[in-house]
Amino acid sequence: EPRSPLPWLHIAEEVASVASERGYRRLGLTGTHWLVDSDVYPEKLGALAAFASVVVYSWGSQRAILDFPGLSSIGRTTVTFAGAAFIMALAWIVGAAFGAADVNWAAIGPTEIAALALYGIGSLALSQILWIVSVERLGIGIASMHINAAPFYVMIFAVVLGAPWNWAQAAGAAIVVLGVLIAQGRRA
């Protein structure tokens, strides 16, 4: 298939480049056996899946604000989590129907369950509540700018803690801010 004449960034290539620069010899990869071992996702569906997830996530967040004005932020978060759980269950069923690797339940013990609970309840739930509050108070455009600039914020914290400044990440954050300003109809 012909490739686009535009330059593309592939997350796997970028991760491999940084890992090589830093001398990492092993990296963790998460995904189903079928997905990890095939070229379907990275070569055929990766960009489409990423775009669709951004559109659905933004749409769902905005709909939670508009369609459930009487619910608290925690209630709206519950609605969005329930929707995400339904979609993930559906994706698992479809994957299983097409021969995706089965879950190795024997490998999941108390440590993995505790880590999942910490991630799912602690960080993911808290970040979703804050996301819903920011969409409600700032609007989807400005809230999206901040969530996309999160790596830049992390970089600032890292610099404060002694890490070197990264101009490529700073330029990426500036592009995000400029894109949001353009999308909002304001002049930079």
Side-chain angles (χ1 to χ4, degrees):
E1 294 178 3
R3 293 209 174 241
S4 169
L6 300 174
W8 286 86
L9 292 177
H10 192 294
I11 190 67
E13 292 169 357
E14 296 303 314
V15 169
S17 173
V18 170
S20 176
E21 289 172 8
R22 294 185 181 179
Y24 296 149
R25 293 178 166 253
R26 288 185 163 196
L27 295 173
L29 180 62
T30 304
T32 65
H33 176 69
W34 172 79
L35 189 61
V36 171
D37 288 346
S38 75
D39 66 350
V40 171
Y41 181 75
E43 293 296 324
K44 309 288 184 212
L45 301 176
L48 179 60
F51 178 72
S53 69
V54 168
V55 169
V56 170
Y57 184 71
S58 297
W59 174 81
S61 298
Q62 191 172 36
R63 294 309 327 161
I65 301 301
L66 298 175
D67 293 345
F68 303 105
L71 290 181
S72 67
S73 297
I74 293 175
R76 291 177 182 149
T77 297
T78 303
V79 168
T80 58
F81 268 14
F86 174 76
I87 295 298
M88 290 307 299
L90 185 63
W92 182 79
I93 290 168
V94 169
F98 285 98
D102 202 13
V103 176
N104 182 3
W105 294 107
I108 300 173
T111 303
E112 291 78 17
I113 292 170
L116 182 60
L118 180 64
Y119 171 73
I121 296 169
S123 61
L124 189 59
L126 179 60
S127 67
Q128 183 65 13
I129 290 169
L130 294 174
W131 168 251
I132 292 292
V133 168
S134 66
V135 169
E136 180 180 23
R137 294 187 180 171
L138 302 173
I140 194 77
I142 300 298
S144 294
M145 177 189 73
H146 287 290
I147 202 167
N148 286 308
F152 179 72
Y153 300 151
V154 170
M155 185 181 74
I156 289 173
F157 285 120
V159 168
V160 168
L161 296 173
W165 179 259
N166 185 318
W167 281 106
Q169 290 175 342
I175 291 169
V176 168
V177 169
L178 181 62
V180 169
L181 292 175
I182 290 170
Q184 294 290 321
R186 298 181 185 149
R187 293 185 181 191

